[in-house]
Amino acid sequence: MPWLRSRQRGLRRLAQAPSFNTTHEESPMSVKHRIVDLLVVGGGTAGIVGAKTAAGLGARTLLVEQARTGGDCLWTGCVPSKTLLSAAEHATPVRALTGQPPEFATVRERIFAAINTIAPVDSVAALEASGVEVLTGALVFRAPGVAEVDDRQIRFRQALIATGGAPATTVIPGLDPSRVVTSETIWDLDARPGRLAIVGGGPIACELGQAFARLGSQVTMVVRSGILPKEDPDAADLIRASLAHDGVHLRENTTIEHALTTDTGSMLQMQDGTTLKADTVLMAIGRVPRTAGLGLERLGVTLDGGGHIVTDTRMRTSNPLIWAAGDVTAHPQFTHLAGVHASVAAANAVLGLKRQISTTVPRVTFTSPEVAAVGLTTADAGLGHRARTVLHTHVDRAVTEDHTGGFSRLVVDRHGKILGATIVGPRAGESLSEVTLAVQKGLTTSDIAGTTHPYPSYSDGVWNAAVADVRERLASPLMRRATAALLWGRRRWLDRPAPHRRDR
């Protein structure tokens, strides 16, 4: 492949300028591998997937992680939070019967057990078994093609930045910082908070708020506007009611002005003039990218106003030899998206491909009930869009499980093409997978309606919504005339004398 050989020669020339100490003691890699094909910075989901992809394609790959591989998803995000939600769900009926919350130490043991079970998959040993070299330390870019890790110099042809993000925080005047936790540090609590105030109303705030309320904490959520602002308003209303049912007190359309901290807790003064007592305050107001101190300015990598790395549709930065993926970019911050984007970036980098990322991004808020959405969530009547909604009172599986407080909603265009969906109910994320594929592939409601679905299942909601859309399209004047003509012709054919009719 001449184009590939030409690209490789060009990459080698670009990587040769700065000096490089080739002694074994100064280099994290052997003399033979002193120039890295792909330097991956960050050992979270994006970094791991990107590094394994590159190594699997035969590229010399070095991953540098400052702390521990696995990233936020394993240690402070997906795994602990979903384990906490599961523990809280199992504790709910027990608490209703006994009036006692579960031992928080038992809950923590379950969380750590889940982390320890999954951790080997993301470990250094697993990376090395995939052909990735791993180095622990803080990396700084010194010049194009040159990085430094704890005084060790590394030369590289290309790099993938996957340093992730960190919880955003804000200073509340008068509030003792020792009483403030984030989605990263809340797992360090030895005891269940008696009174937990949560600042924020997004997915993290809703998930952790509901979980701790079910575990026995007095939870109050302080939300600047309303909860789950990116979701269908009907979905947000169902979650609002579910949170209230579990004892979460919602204070929407207000903020905390200042606080007074005493030995017995914090008194939070609200913008609306009310007060709130709390032992612990959880900041869940978003995340910020980890780009500071990397030396990206020496590589000519452009950042946006929020500090995110700007990438194109191939995950390439303003420097054509530097790529980025995961929470460090401006894309939605989901683990599944980080992995897919990193795989695309790594393949493009080492093979010179021009693969583009998909714009179809599913998301799930793992409250009870779950909220799952993809693509458009509300119809734009001006463009001829319409919404097809099936309440789960009409989904037999939901009836048998006594979980009918949800719905499945498809957003379609005038031709029945599926543009998006919102599903609220148990395991909504699983039901969303089918719709995500439909949006990605440009399928129609006829495609789903014509596919046999297992019964009874929650996916019946999606299928029934598709069937309803097909039936309404068949009821249009044009389709009625067409079917009437076909029916008339069929009758004429069947009414012909039998010897003259050939009906196959």
Side-chain angles (χ1 to χ4, degrees):
M1 292 182 289
W3 64 269
L4 181 55
R5 289 194 294 272
S6 175
R7 177 178 172 82
Q8 290 172 337
R9 287 195 298 270
L11 293 177
R12 291 191 190 100
R13 286 195 295 270
L14 286 169
Q16 286 173 352
S19 62
F20 177 60
N21 191 323
T22 59
T23 62
H24 180 73
E25 291 75 12
E26 291 297 319
S27 172
M29 309 188 75
S30 65
V31 174
K32 180 180 179 182
H33 294 169
R34 63 181 178 271
I35 298 180
V36 182
D37 288 325
L38 187 66
L39 170 63
V40 180
V41 188
T45 298
I48 290 172
V49 173
K52 287 185 175 182
T53 299
L57 294 171
R60 295 172 181 170
T61 307
L62 172 66
L63 183 147
V64 179
E65 166 56 41
Q66 185 170 354
R68 54 190 177 183
T69 58
D72 295 330
C73 181
L74 174 62
W75 301 105
T76 61
C78 312
V79 176
S81 65
K82 276 50 183 181
T83 308
L84 180 74
L85 286 165
S86 176
E89 183 176 9
H90 286 105
T92 300
V94 176
R95 186 175 169 220
L97 289 173
T98 65
Q100 297 295 321
E103 291 291 335
F104 194 65
T106 303
V107 175
R108 295 186 78 222
E109 288 175 4
R110 182 175 170 186
I111 292 172
F112 296 145
I115 292 173
N116 291 333
T117 299
I118 298 173
V121 178
D122 293 343
S123 67
V124 171
L127 283 161
E128 291 176 340
S130 299
V132 179
E133 294 196 53
V134 181
L135 180 64
T136 301
L139 181 142
V140 178
F141 291 104
R142 294 302 182 189
V146 179
E148 193 174 83
V149 179
D150 298 336
D151 297 327
R152 293 180 173 183
Q153 195 180 74
I154 301 168
R155 290 178 64 186
F156 61 92
R157 293 186 170 93
Q158 298 185 92
L160 171 61
I161 313 300
T163 47
T169 59
T170 186
V171 175
I172 298 176
L175 181 61
D176 185 351
S178 67
R179 297 185 183 274
V180 178
V181 295
T182 67
S183 59
E184 284 188 351
T185 59
I186 195 169
W187 313 108
D188 298 330
L189 294 175
D190 294 325
R192 170 180 53 82
R195 298 171 297 185
L196 176 64
I198 301 177
V199 182
I204 292 175
C206 290
E207 290 179 5
L208 296 183
Q210 187 174 52
F212 275 99
R214 288 181 164 188
L215 291 172
S217 298
Q218 296 179 21
V219 178
T220 302
M221 291 175 57
V222 181
V223 190
R224 181 182 296 273
S225 54
I227 65 167
L228 302 179
K230 296 181 180 180
E231 304 302 343
D232 185 302
D234 290 341
D237 285 343
L238 286 175
I239 300 306
R240 185 177 288 108
S242 180
L243 291 172
H245 177 269
D246 286 323
V248 177
H249 183 44
L250 283 171
R251 295 196 179 184
E252 298 179 278
N253 301 305
T254 189
T255 59
I256 301 174
E257 294 279 297
H258 56 83
L260 175 64
T261 302
T262 66
D263 293 338
T264 59
S266 300
M267 182 70 73
L268 309 178
Q269 182 67 45
M270 313 300 293
Q271 185 184 44
D272 58 13
T274 61
T275 58
L276 168 64
K277 292 183 178 179
D279 304 314
T280 304
V281 177
L282 168 62
M283 288 288 174
I285 55 175
R287 294 174 64 81
V288 293
R290 293 189 177 102
T291 50
L294 290 176
L296 295 177
E297 67 280 358
R298 301 187 184 106
L299 304 182
V301 173
T302 300
L303 307 181
D304 67 11
H308 300 91
I309 296 177
V310 178
T311 60
D312 62 15
T313 56
R314 289 183 277 164
M315 302 312 296
R316 187 176 58 178
T317 72
S318 53
N319 181 333
L321 299 182
I322 307 298
W323 309 74
D327 292 359
V328 75
T329 71
H331 292 280
Q333 299 186 359
F334 303 121
T335 297
H336 48 278
L337 198 63
V340 171
H341 285 184
S343 178
V344 170
N348 286 343
V350 303
L351 297 182
L353 304 180
K354 295 183 179 181
R355 292 175 57 198
Q356 296 192 5
I357 58 173
S358 169
T359 57
T360 303
V361 182
R363 61 183 183 272
V364 184
T365 299
F366 293 90
T367 46
S368 179
E370 292 181 5
V371 177
V374 66
L376 296 183
T377 56
T378 55
D380 188 338
L383 297 176
H385 301 164
R386 56 184 180 274
R388 297 293 180 222
T389 304
V390 171
L391 300 179
H392 286 183
T393 51
H394 301 294
V395 173
D396 293 353
R397 178 61 185 274
V399 173
T400 62
E401 297 281 349
D402 195 24
H403 289 300
T404 57
F407 64 85
S408 297
R409 176 170 295 160
L410 299 179
V411 177
V412 300
D413 69 9
R414 66 185 68 198
H415 304 295
K417 181 180 177 181
I418 299 171
L419 305 176
T422 297
I423 304 173
V424 183
R427 306 297 182 187
E430 275 72 14
S431 297
L432 188 72
S433 296
E434 175 182 29
V435 190
T436 302
L437 180 64
V439 174
Q440 173 74 12
K441 295 299 183 180
L443 303 182
T444 67
T445 50
S446 297
D447 293 318
I448 290 183
T451 301
T452 303
H453 286 64
Y455 173 88
S457 67
Y458 282 106
S459 65
D460 272 352
V462 172
W463 185 78
N464 285 330
V467 169
D469 183 71
V470 172
R471 285 176 174 169
E472 182 165 321
R473 284 191 285 124
L474 289 174
S476 69
L478 178 62
M479 290 301 297
R480 280 185 177 275
R481 288 194 296 269
T483 54
L486 288 172
L487 180 59
W488 177 84
R490 183 61 172 167
R491 284 171 176 166
R492 290 291 301 270
W493 178 261
L494 293 175
D495 289 344
R496 295 180 65 188
H500 302 286
R501 189 181 71 228
R502 291 181 181 178
D503 192 13
R504 296 180 180 178

